[in-house]
Amino acid sequence: MNRWATWLWLAFLFSIPVWMTNQYYLYILINAGIFIIAAMSLNLLLGYTGQLSLGHVAFFGIGAYASALVSLGFDLEITDSYTFVFAPRPVWVGLLAGILVAGFFGWLVGRISFKIRGAYFVIVTISFAEVVRLVALNWIDLTEGPMALNNIPPLTLGIPGLWELTFWRKVPNYYLVLVTCILSYVVIARLVRSRLGRAMIALRENEPLAASVGIDVTRSLVLAAVVSAAMAGAAGGLYTHTIRIIDPDVFLFIYTVTMVIMVITGGKGTLAGPIVGGLIFGILPEVLREVASPEVQWVMYGLIMIAIVFFLPDGIVPALASWWRDRFGAGGGGAESQSEPGPGPEASGTVTDTMGERA
Amino acid sequence: MKTLIKSTGFALAAAAALGLSGTAGASEAIKIGVTQPLTGPVAASGNYVVQGAKIAESFLNESGGILGHKVELIVEDNKSNPKEAVATAEKLIVRDKVPVLMGAWSSTYTLAVMPKLIEYGVPMVVETSSSGKITTSGNPWIFRISPTSAMEAKSFGTKVDQFGIKKADFLVVNNDWGRGAASAFSAMLKSKGISVGVVETMDAKAQDLSAQLAKIKASGGDTLFVTTGVEQITLVLKQAKEQRVTHRVITTGGSSSPDQLIAQAGAAAEGSYHLLFFAPWFPEAAPNPDVAKKFVDEWNKRGHNFAGLTEGFRGHDGIMTIAAGIEAAGKAEPDAIRQALWGVKVDGVNGDISFIKQGPAGKESGQNVPNVYIVTIKDGKVALP
Amino acid sequence: MDRFLQHLLNALMLGGTYALLGIGLTMIFGIMRVVNFTHGELYTFGAYMVFFFAMTLSTNFFLALVFAMVLGVALGAAIEFVLLRPLRGASIDTTMLIMIGAWIALQNSEQLVWTGVAKSVIHPFPAEPVVLGPLSVSWIRIFVFCVAILLIVGAHLLIHRTRLGKAMRSTFQDRETAALMGVNINAIQTATFALGSGLAAAAGALLGPVFVLVPSMGDMAALKSFAIVILGGLGSFKGATLGGFMLALVEEMGAGYISSGYRDAMGFLIIIVVLIFRPTGLFARAERIG
Amino acid sequence: MLEIEGLDCRYGKVRAVRDLTLEVREGELVTLIGANGAGKTTTLKAISGILRPAAGRIAFDGEDITRASARAILAKGIAHCPEGRHVFPYMSVQENLDMGCYLRRDPGGIARDLRKVFERFPVLEERRRQMAGTLSGGEQQMLAIGRALMSRPRLMLFDEPSLGLAPNLVETTFEIIAEIRAQGVTVLMVEQNAYAALELCDRSYLLESGAVTLTGSGAELLDNPHVKEAYLGG
Amino acid sequence: MTREIAAGETVLAVENLGVRFGGLVALAGISFEVRAGEVASLIGPNGAGKTTAFNAITGFLTPSEGAIRYRDSRIEGLRPNEIADLGVVRTFQKTSVFAASSVFDNLLIGLHRRGGARLWEILLALPRVRAEEARLRAEAEEILDFVGLSARAGEPGGALPYGEQRLLEVAVALAARPSLLLLDEPVSGMNPVETASFMAMLGKIRARGITILLVEHDMRMVMGVSDRVVVLNQGAIIAEGTPEEIQANPEVIRAYLGHGADRRAVGRA
């Protein structure tokens, strides 16, 4: 039955462009989708390993810049006589490069900052994002600084001369984002239900105990940081090729805050949480745009965030799950593994089932 | 997974609700989309532009609208942020179905919106942005009434001799506008044989500029070109005085408001020069004195901040240009408006507005050649030099 | 050389208010274990309150400063009472998220009330600077510096010499034992948050007339406070004081001799470097809040 | 003076104290003995109000203080000298003593009591300005006792006063406690050092797994082989 | 993992182990051994340094001096996970389970060392990853069965009653396949019935060939299960021997019951 639900759900998602003719809503969904990917990546760190990283936008932005630069090409004057010239590459190469570069920075930040915890870790991650922003702002030769990189090409797939598909319009971009979303979901779902993912969850729940059963703390955290950063980089790449301009403002703290709100609202450490939170906070600003002046919108944003932490500290998904359990009784159970905290057995995914992961 | 389905279903239901609420009835009015920064760091300027645009809207409607229809501005906040600028463009074009846009203040926001213009085939009148890229990147839907930094520099170049500059320093805001101005003006100065000392930048939010000023003081120049918003110009003037920087200060970019400087910087503003695109103290000196006077009067009547006039007029001129385009096109359709804009001649507050072609052949953007004014502050009053 | 000395003087003047900001934040963290993201908003609030009293109501400038500080204390107490008290014992992550929400809400309320148009406070000090040989500094800056130093000394005395200060320090050092001594831990936490907030408001009230007022002015102040506090070690009064002056110095010298574009990056680079090599801050051994 | 009836305390799922009943009469020195984890410290914390009991009743001078705040309980005259001293390490000796009389508002009385403390512990007067964290273990213990005395208590709770002290200091500490009691302060002491505690006290309660298993005068318990079993297993 | 060890051979050798925190001496050069197949206990009054010794042996703190040998390797200064990899696994004094994870997942986490799937294999869901998962699940079920928690597999670890949580702790440690298991106060807080069943469990663990080092305050339990007892007091070893010897040792009695014991003894003499 779960399997059917999954297919139905996917069919629904794939059918949206067919019946949702208003392109504006599609645009909102594309944007929400990109931030859902970013939120899912943050969830891996924040929800599963329990590290509150408030510099996550750095990876998003690094992925965006790397992807844009690779597909636009750039010149760098190394010395007076030597200039490094990087010719433009196809966009899909750029996207890959964005993922790799962001992943590399994830590794770097993980290596140096997981030595410290708590408030210190939080402040270091904020600082890292801020430094990256200032570098993007001031390294004019590479990033054009505040003048922004514009005319970034959209993704083109296919065989040159024979068949090509350029992602100019909403519908192909919607599918692009949807497929990336699904891939990211599968990556996270497979990871957190694997040996390596369980190690990350173990660190969140009880670090000394995890270490005592042989889990390498630093290694697990760094691995989580790399996967998380790479995924955020992918989101950044998608962002840059759909919005087609990128400037240092992409590193603003408010974007990290948005991602954090999405994860917390939806339910950190759950697979569905960032998706739910991402949809709500991807759509809410557009709803608020209709009803309130800009400042009031922001004030409400802040108040909603406070209210959620106060009244639904675990987020919407666990709250719904427990409501469902109370109302209709627990299903499943037994020796079925469920790596998620709060939610009951029904929260355990079936996407992976249908992908034939589990025997 | 069930939870996922349930909970995402919730969110989608919310989306659907949004869809229902958003169906506006077909209105008779001709809609013009405006995207401006109404919140965030440059919110003040964006709000002035909108105030000017609203004045133009009233003027138009008082005189019977366009083609017999009322004009309705739909104003969206781009939150001083390129991503939001794109969102506003999407919303205005797709949802509100506006046939033409005005926006988006900063070059970054304008550049962000530009691919959307091509995607949907909607023209946009650019009222403030100064980056050269906007008109040279081959976007045929762009019509700019504001000058590029290069045009401003060139215009100033005709009067530079009277200042007797030997060595100039720059202090500019670290964004496209400031950096663009610094490079355009230093190129112009160098071409006139004037040497350029240091080029210092400041974060748009920076308040303490003492380090930059100490460096400028030590450079030994005689003139300091400052490009930034009026708040920061205030700070530059005050802090330059504190540190006894003796440079003559010339502000570029047309965003400074000498009245505000007099009020807030006091004696520190004395003797500074300001390049403006509108000098509201002297509407009679404008090329179209009637238009300028009428606009200034209405502005004052509405109780808007006088200091905002140097920004606000852009909104007026932008909307008037669009109105002329629609009028000439005979219908409120994007491509017709685009073609008609090439032929418009508008009596703007700044002067006559018409477009020349810029950018790669076949995909040219429209660029107006606006007037540039220089005013100075003398005895606590704005004066023509 | 003249330029170097001028940079040094500028750094000294700026450092006083930085220290004020840092002390406020470090006290709150030290005693309450709350990373206070509203710190910058209190700074903004202080500045606008001076504007409100001095410019809108035409109150005496110095009186306006006092009012602004007092109201800052009151606002801090209110935030603590409404948002933090119900969450006593919650994890640091939870309170951090609450404070981020409060920060967004407060900043935009300020924007709503005061609009984005910059405001300027006219102060009664002469515009002509004080000239000391090749150096110059304005009267208002000297005034701000002196008041900042007075407030720092005052805060130091309050913490070390008064009954309230002792209660704060004891709570910081050993919460349970402080309770055994009869200290009302809840009240102490409110007092600490109010006092820390008051110092931030004071910094804003003092710098407002020097600079111009915009609703987003608190963001940089908040980020700098974090840098200062990390530099000095979370919870360390002396560390925050020294950290304030050090950050000002590094920023000023960095902007003067490296690149003005990276001025604000200096603070963050310091944070990262310090935390890699001395994770507990430069003055970890220094006396903690007491 | 102090009556406890049916006290139950829990840490999450762990029941640290089960249905404990005891009383302390004015002027007595009563000890709670028992092996580690028997629930002695928990009982003291419940009395002084820093731990909320799950069930039961605590009365002081006949007044119910079960739900009273630590502050109110201290004000009624119960001082708690916690296990492991818990002096404030970054405050001077003087400031630590000041904290002891945090609730008192009688400067004259405070000065007199301070005099008394310094007479009893001259070393504290010598180190008045020194940070408490730099004192030796024995000195810290004196400070902790002095600090508790500064509230001028009528009932003093001592938690493991001998823990971690060198043998000669252990003796001194017990002598001091006896002296305090001789001056009219009622004492309830938790002590692992059972024999010493039993020799010192009027009456004692033996706790095992959170419950009282034996009670009687010190001498009675000293002769009871069950005490040794409670510590070393049967 | 290395060669076979015969019962009775020394597996863990603590040599002159010293730990200082600042000026405080927590352990002043202690030496003792644990032999294969035995249950050894480390006891002593509060603050004697037992948990400190545990922490040093399992890598949670680095000793200031001395050596710790496990089989053929020096393990002092290694990280906890490296020590676990050698087969030395511990439990904690305070209840320590993965509270939000199900009991079954607790076991799967414990089985970390038993798997070897790499990131890319997991992301591609290779057959060998699936096979490994199936194997780990089977092992987890087997261990749950062993400790008698099979019925609880789906419940969050933190929701179990106290006694069962302590069992779960042991099960998680067993999942890491220790050859030496260090238990830190495993029965503290348990009622007598629970303690008794735990002692039975200890026997079963031992029967699996796992050597056990125990820190415990419940002397009935210590005396009931130990082959050998090492007594610590104030950071030093004061006695070592069989339970009977220890119970009769005057030094031990003094450590536990205090100085009065001497006077008592003198008084009686």
Side-chain angles (χ1 to χ4, degrees):
Chain A
M1 190 199 122
N2 268 345
R3 187 168 298 213
W4 281 108
T6 308
W7 283 115
L8 232 100
W9 179 225
L10 285 176
F12 168 73
L13 287 176
F14 275 93
S15 75
I16 284 178
V18 179
W19 50 267
M20 193 179 273
T21 45
N22 191 326
Q23 302 275 297
Y24 175 60
Y25 298 133
L26 221 45
Y27 163 80
I28 294 175
L29 285 180
I30 290 171
N31 241 303
I34 290 172
F35 272 84
I36 284 171
I37 299 168
M40 280 199 278
S41 74
L42 176 64
N43 188 33
L44 187 61
L45 271 184
L46 172 60
Y48 287 102
T49 67
Q51 302 293 318
L52 180 52
S53 150
L54 286 187
H56 208 62
V57 77
F59 305 121
F60 182 87
I62 286 171
Y65 262 102
S67 185
L69 285 170
V70 167
S71 44
L72 285 171
F74 56 90
D75 306 339
L76 264 189
E77 208 172 281
I78 309 283
T79 62
D80 289 341
S81 55
Y82 175 69
T83 301
F84 176 74
V85 180
F86 187 91
R89 300 284 198 281
V91 172
W92 64 268
V93 178
L95 282 171
L96 273 183
I99 293 171
L100 291 177
V101 174
F104 168 75
F105 275 95
W107 176 82
L108 195 71
V109 172
R111 287 301 313 181
I112 61 176
S113 64
F114 281 134
K115 282 195 273 181
I116 46 179
R117 294 292 158 80
Y120 287 101
F121 176 79
V122 169
I123 292 173
V124 163
T125 52
I126 295 176
S127 307
F128 170 70
E130 199 55 25
V131 168
V132 175
R133 182 179 78 84
L134 289 162
V135 169
L137 188 66
N138 290 295
W139 194 358
I140 310 273
D141 290 346
L142 183 68
T143 63
E144 301 219 9
M147 281 79 84
L149 290 169
N150 69 324
N151 273 338
I152 298 167
L155 178 63
T156 302
L157 284 182
I159 307 140
L162 276 174
W163 171 82
E164 275 187 343
L165 171 63
T166 302
F167 290 74
W168 287 106
R169 298 235 166 220
K170 296 280 167 320
V171 175
N173 270 313
Y174 172 80
Y175 285 117
L176 175 66
V177 170
L178 178 61
V179 168
T180 317
C181 259
I182 293 172
L183 278 178
S184 307
Y185 182 90
V186 170
V187 163
I188 301 246
R190 283 186 178 171
L191 182 59
V192 300
R193 295 215 192 91
S194 76
R195 169 178 173 269
L196 297 177
R198 284 192 295 265
M200 294 169 193
I201 295 166
L203 290 177
R204 174 192 68 196
E205 291 192 24
N206 193 332
E207 193 176 311
L209 179 58
S212 79
V213 297
I215 290 169
D216 188 331
V217 177
T218 319
R219 212 178 138 147
S220 292
L221 288 179
V222 170
L223 181 74
V226 169
V227 174
S228 172
M231 194 175 286
L238 287 180
Y239 173 81
T240 202
H241 292 288
T242 48
I243 196 168
R244 303 190 48 217
I245 180 171
I246 182 125
D247 80 325
D249 277 358
V250 75
F251 293 106
L252 286 180
F253 186 50
I254 194 73
Y255 287 117
T256 299
V257 171
T258 309
M259 291 178 209
V260 172
I261 295 178
M262 286 175 175
V263 173
I264 301 283
T265 308
K268 62 180 181 201
T270 65
L271 287 171
I275 301 177
V276 175
L279 280 174
I280 292 173
F281 280 95
I283 292 168
L284 188 65
E286 304 301 328
V287 178
L288 287 179
R289 200 190 273 289
E290 300 292 311
V291 297
S293 82
E295 296 91 348
V296 176
Q297 287 175 31
W298 279 110
V299 173
M300 286 167 73
Y301 217 78
L303 295 179
I304 289 171
M305 183 163 172
I306 293 173
I308 288 200
V309 179
F310 259 99
F311 300 112
L312 285 178
D314 293 329
I316 291 171
V317 172
L320 274 180
S322 80
W323 172 80
W324 187 265
R325 251 201 318 271
D326 293 348
R327 185 111 164 58
F328 301 105
E336 191 65 21
S337 162
Q338 25 144 338
S339 303
E340 299 171 42
E346 68 269 29
S348 269
T350 48
V351 166
T352 43
D353 284 351
T354 55
M355 302 284 170
E357 181 192 68
R358 223 176 270 165
Chain B
M1 193 61 209
K2 256 192 250 155
T3 325
L4 169 66
I5 295 166
K6 276 192 318 254
S7 10
T8 13
F10 259 60
L12 276 173
L18 162 72
L20 288 175
S21 72
T23 46
S27 146
E28 282 300 298
I30 292 176
K31 297 186 215 168
I32 299 173
V34 177
T35 167
Q36 287 291 322
L38 306 181
T39 51
V42 293
S45 301
N47 281 297
Y48 288 143
V49 171
V50 169
Q51 287 171 349
K54 291 245 161 104
I55 288 177
E57 181 191 25
S58 316
F59 285 172
L60 287 166
N61 287 333
E62 279 158 21
S63 60
I66 314 172
L67 305 170
H69 294 277
K70 280 187 82 91
V71 179
E72 186 193 341
L73 296 191
I74 302 182
V75 181
E76 287 296 341
D77 174 22
N78 63 37
K79 302 182 185 170
S80 307
N81 175 323
K83 172 178 171 272
E84 293 296 331
V86 175
T88 56
E90 285 277 356
K91 192 242 167 199
L92 290 168
I93 297 171
V94 181
R95 188 116 184 263
D96 300 323
K97 308 222 167 356
V98 301
V100 57
L101 293 174
M102 181 181 84
W105 205 78
S106 150
S107 301
T108 320
Y109 319 149
T110 304
L111 286 167
V113 169
M114 281 164 59
K116 295 290 152 196
L117 305 178
I118 298 180
E119 181 178 343
Y120 295 112
V122 173
M124 176 158 92
V125 169
V126 178
E127 85 297 335
T128 306
S129 316
S130 62
S131 166
K133 275 188 202 172
I134 289 170
T135 42
T136 55
S137 64
N139 188 326
W141 299 93
I142 283 288
F143 293 85
R144 169 155 61 182
I145 60 171
S146 54
T148 61
S149 296
M151 292 169 78
E152 191 188 354
K154 193 174 151 200
S155 170
F156 179 69
T158 60
K159 298 165 185 163
V160 72
D161 292 340
Q162 70 194 65
F163 288 92
I165 303 169
K166 301 229 159 22
K167 182 175 176 188
D169 297 309
F170 286 86
L171 179 55
V172 298
V173 60
N174 196 0
N175 63 24
D176 60 299
W177 177 40
R179 291 215 178 242
S183 65
F185 276 80
S186 43
M188 182 274 291
L189 293 171
K190 280 178 191 157
S191 76
K192 303 262 176 194
I194 299 167
S195 73
V196 172
V198 295
V199 178
E200 288 296 299
T201 61
M202 51 198 168
D203 188 89
K205 282 185 184 173
Q207 298 225 321
D208 193 316
L209 310 166
S210 49
Q212 286 94 330
L213 287 165
K215 207 165 158 185
I216 286 162
K217 184 181 176 186
S219 108
D222 52 40
T223 302
L224 175 63
F225 284 88
V226 180
T227 309
T228 184
V230 63
E231 296 86 18
Q232 236 172 3
I233 294 176
T234 313
L235 292 170
V236 170
L237 291 172
K238 276 162 83 171
Q239 294 177 24
K241 175 124 182 138
E242 288 169 14
Q243 300 224 1
R244 293 188 303 150
V245 176
T246 50
H247 291 54
R248 173 200 297 116
V249 173
I250 301 179
T251 74
T252 83
S255 269
S256 78
S257 161
D259 290 294
Q260 195 169 333
L261 295 179
I262 293 166
Q264 301 195 343
E270 195 65 23
S272 57
Y273 292 83
H274 308 277
L275 297 187
L276 298 175
F277 309 127
F278 176 45
W281 310 268
F282 317 106
E284 62 287 349
N288 304 308
D290 302 344
V291 178
K293 232 181 154 56
K294 187 179 171 200
F295 177 69
V296 173
D297 290 347
E298 179 68 19
W299 183 275
N300 290 334
K301 206 175 94 195
R302 292 186 178 208
H304 295 330
N305 188 348
F306 187 82
L309 267 169
T310 48
E311 293 269 4
F313 85 92
R314 306 167 197 273
H316 170 273
D317 282 9
I319 295 300
M320 285 305 186
T321 306
I322 288 173
I326 299 173
E327 196 90 46
K331 53 187 173 182
E333 281 171 18
D335 197 51
I337 297 172
R338 180 180 75 88
Q339 287 172 29
L341 277 171
W342 285 115
V344 295
K345 280 250 181 302
V346 185
D347 297 339
V349 172
N350 167 269
D352 295 339
I353 297 167
S354 61
F355 294 102
I356 56 167
K357 292 192 171 188
Q358 269 192 354
K363 295 190 282 185
E364 294 99 336
S365 308
Q367 172 67 54
N368 174 38
V369 183
N371 294 301
V372 176
Y373 306 85
I374 303 176
V375 299
T376 183
I377 294 175
K378 207 182 275 170
D379 305 328
K381 287 205 172 62
V382 183
L384 293 169
Chain C
M1 191 58 198
D2 289 354
R3 187 175 143 209
F4 179 79
L5 288 175
Q6 183 70 50
H7 280 312
L8 214 57
L9 183 65
N10 293 344
L12 187 70
M13 293 292 127
L14 188 60
T17 24
Y18 275 13
L20 217 49
L21 276 169
I23 290 168
L25 192 68
T26 216
M27 277 176 58
I28 292 171
F29 181 83
I31 291 174
M32 309 185 63
R33 301 274 130 187
V34 167
V35 180
N36 180 16
F37 280 94
T38 62
H39 206 61
E41 295 322 306
L42 264 304
Y43 172 85
T44 314
F45 177 78
Y48 273 109
M49 282 302 110
V50 168
F51 175 83
F52 177 70
F53 285 109
M55 306 303 288
T56 314
L57 301 184
S58 305
T59 316
N60 173 285
F61 175 75
F62 300 98
L63 213 53
L65 283 182
V66 174
F67 286 161
M69 292 177 204
V70 170
L71 285 173
V73 170
L75 178 62
I79 292 174
E80 203 285 332
F81 202 79
V82 174
L83 294 179
L84 292 173
R85 189 169 280 218
L87 287 173
R88 204 72 91 216
S91 76
I92 194 167
D93 291 2
T94 307
T95 53
M96 209 160 357
L97 292 168
I98 291 279
M99 295 322 274
I100 290 175
W103 161 55
I104 296 172
L106 278 174
Q107 180 169 123
N108 288 283
S109 307
E110 273 148 10
Q111 166 107 26
L112 203 59
V113 174
W114 301 109
T115 76
V117 180
K119 304 263 187 286
S120 203
V121 178
I122 308 297
H123 56 76
F125 292 94
E128 288 302 322
V130 186
V131 178
L132 312 149
L135 307 178
S136 64
V137 58
S138 66
W139 285 103
I140 176 89
R141 288 256 182 164
I142 295 175
F143 169 74
V144 165
F145 177 75
C146 293
V147 176
I149 295 297
L150 272 178
L151 285 171
I152 293 170
V153 172
H156 181 86
L157 289 178
L158 180 113
I159 286 174
H160 284 93
R161 294 277 185 271
T162 67
R163 185 167 174 271
L164 175 66
K166 280 176 200 155
M168 284 178 175
R169 286 157 62 210
S170 64
T171 305
F172 169 64
Q173 291 170 27
D174 193 328
R175 191 171 295 208
E176 196 173 275
T177 309
L180 278 180
M181 301 294 123
V183 174
N184 182 343
I185 305 290
N186 260 333
I188 288 302
Q189 303 216 22
T190 307
T192 306
F193 199 88
L195 184 63
S197 298
L199 291 177
L206 289 170
L207 283 182
V210 177
F211 299 137
V212 293
L213 279 50
V214 284
S216 58
M217 66 194 278
D219 291 356
M220 264 301 151
L223 284 170
K224 290 198 170 149
S225 316
F226 285 138
I228 292 160
V229 167
I230 289 281
L231 203 58
L234 283 171
S236 162
F237 191 100
K238 276 182 193 160
T241 314
L242 286 171
F245 285 99
M246 276 179 61
L247 180 70
L249 187 69
V250 172
E251 277 188 5
E252 181 79 22
M253 293 301 168
Y257 294 101
I258 301 173
S259 158
S260 45
Y262 286 103
R263 175 179 184 135
D264 294 319
M266 300 299 163
F268 300 109
L269 284 172
I270 289 180
I271 291 183
I272 293 174
V273 171
V274 165
L275 284 185
I276 291 170
F277 295 104
R278 294 234 21 199
T280 45
L282 285 183
F283 307 101
R285 293 264 152 181
E287 175 197 7
R288 294 300 171 125
I289 299 261
Chain D
M1 186 181 207
L2 181 77
E3 292 162 90
I4 301 177
E5 266 175 48
L7 184 72
D8 249 53
C9 297
R10 288 162 191 276
Y11 296 105
K13 289 178 191 307
V14 191
R15 225 172 134 194
V17 172
R18 305 157 201 255
D19 194 23
L20 177 135
T21 298
L22 63 78
E23 62 165 346
V24 180
R25 279 169 240 136
E26 184 110 41
E28 269 191 322
L29 197 164
V30 176
T31 56
L32 290 179
I33 60 170
N36 243 323
K40 303 172 304 235
T41 296
T42 309
T43 308
L44 290 197
K45 286 187 173 176
I47 297 170
S48 62
I50 49 179
L51 191 116
R52 274 281 126 89
R57 179 172 179 277
I58 305 171
F60 183 62
D61 284 344
E63 197 181 333
D64 189 344
I65 56 165
T66 320
R67 311 253 156 225
S69 70
R71 193 179 162 89
I73 291 170
L74 178 70
K76 287 187 197 311
I78 302 181
H80 183 161
C81 190
E83 178 183 354
R85 276 93 68 184
H86 284 270
V87 296
F88 300 111
Y90 301 106
M91 291 169 97
S92 68
V93 168
Q94 175 71 54
E95 286 173 327
N96 267 276
L97 293 172
D98 290 348
M99 285 311 296
C101 50
Y102 181 74
L103 291 182
R104 288 176 64 183
R105 301 281 190 181
D106 56 327
I110 290 173
R112 270 196 304 282
D113 284 343
L114 187 65
R115 233 8 304 137
K116 274 196 231 159
V117 168
F118 282 154
E119 274 161 26
R120 181 170 282 146
F121 308 113
V123 64
L124 294 184
E125 187 162 26
E126 283 165 34
R127 316 229 150 161
R128 233 173 137 151
R129 306 255 158 257
Q130 200 170 319
M131 286 292 144
T134 62
L135 298 181
S136 74
E139 290 163 346
Q140 288 192 8
Q141 185 65 63
M142 320 248 143
L143 178 56
I145 297 173
R147 186 178 61 182
L149 284 173
M150 287 302 290
S151 70
R152 195 182 280 176
R154 291 171 46 229
L155 170 64
M156 257 179 100
L157 312 176
F158 284 99
D159 196 350
E160 302 274 9
S162 73
L163 186 70
L165 295 184
N168 58 328
L169 285 171
V170 173
E171 297 275 338
T172 320
T173 307
F174 287 136
E175 278 161 23
I176 289 166
I177 292 170
E179 225 176 275
I180 289 171
R181 179 268 186 97
Q183 288 173 3
V185 180
T186 312
V187 174
L188 176 60
M189 178 167 81
V190 157
E191 184 53 60
Q192 198 186 195
N193 196 335
Y195 286 139
L198 290 174
E199 285 196 331
L200 198 65
C201 70
D202 301 318
R203 287 190 306 112
S204 185
Y205 293 86
L206 174 67
L207 261 66
E208 285 181 272
S209 304
V212 175
T213 53
L214 203 61
T215 174
S217 73
E220 279 164 23
L221 262 63
L222 271 174
D223 290 327
N224 194 324
H226 186 77
V227 173
K228 189 186 155 205
E229 267 173 45
Y231 279 82
L232 289 177
Chain E
M1 57 188 58
T2 47
R3 68 203 163 84
E4 273 301 302
I5 297 276
E9 197 176 329
T10 297
V11 284
L12 179 76
V14 173
E15 295 159 15
N16 195 30
L17 177 69
V19 175
R20 277 189 299 275
F21 301 111
L24 182 81
V25 179
L27 283 181
I30 62 163
S31 302
F32 67 93
E33 292 178 348
V34 177
R35 296 172 202 135
E38 72 175 349
V39 175
S41 289
L42 199 55
I43 66 166
N46 229 345
K50 304 170 304 258
T51 297
T52 306
F54 254 43
N55 286 341
I57 294 169
T58 50
F60 283 85
L61 59 83
T62 308
S64 328
E65 61 191 28
I68 306 167
R69 259 177 248 282
Y70 182 69
R71 297 194 168 185
D72 303 320
S73 344
R74 293 275 293 258
I75 59 170
E76 75 273 9
L78 293 183
R79 286 184 296 153
N81 58 299
E82 293 167 329
I83 291 169
D85 280 342
L86 294 172
V88 180
V89 179
R90 68 173 293 180
T91 64
F92 294 82
Q93 191 171 8
K94 298 237 165 73
T95 347
S96 188
V97 298
F98 302 109
S101 292
S102 70
V103 167
F104 195 76
D105 279 354
N106 266 274
L107 267 292
L108 287 179
I109 294 169
L111 285 161
H112 184 78
R113 292 203 312 120
R114 306 281 296 158
R118 307 189 145 267
L119 180 64
W120 63 274
E121 296 171 331
I122 289 165
L123 296 187
L124 294 177
L126 293 188
R128 66 157 287 224
V129 176
R130 269 183 283 160
E132 181 182 295
E133 277 293 301
R135 178 170 60 77
L136 294 181
R137 278 165 185 281
E139 282 194 43
E141 273 164 33
E142 188 262 325
I143 296 167
L144 276 184
D145 218 35
F146 178 76
V147 298
L149 285 176
S150 296
R152 301 284 197 181
E155 289 175 38
L160 296 189
Y162 182 73
E164 290 186 347
Q165 275 193 37
R166 303 236 65 160
L167 278 184
L168 176 57
E169 254 180 282
V170 175
V172 170
L174 285 177
R177 290 292 138 121
S179 48
L180 172 63
L181 182 61
L182 292 86
L183 300 171
D184 196 350
E185 301 197 21
V187 302
S188 74
M190 281 190 184
N191 63 37
V193 182
E194 288 168 333
T195 305
S197 76
F198 190 86
M199 283 166 72
M201 158 85 52
L202 221 52
K204 286 198 316 182
I205 294 171
R206 187 180 182 179
R208 289 186 146 201
I210 297 170
T211 312
I212 295 169
L213 178 59
L214 182 70
V215 161
E216 183 51 63
H217 278 298
D218 186 322
M219 288 304 151
R220 276 181 206 95
M221 147 127 189
V222 170
M223 300 308 169
V225 301
S226 310
D227 297 313
R228 235 154 32 82
V229 179
V230 177
V231 188
L232 273 177
N233 190 27
Q234 303 208 327
I237 291 177
I238 56 167
E240 195 177 336
T242 63
E244 294 72 29
E245 289 165 1
I246 293 301
Q247 274 171 314
N249 186 321
E251 187 81 14
V252 176
I253 295 170
R254 190 162 55 198
Y256 267 87
L257 295 164
H259 262 279
D262 288 345
R263 274 180 268 163
R264 211 56 220 153
V266 174
R268 276 182 184 174

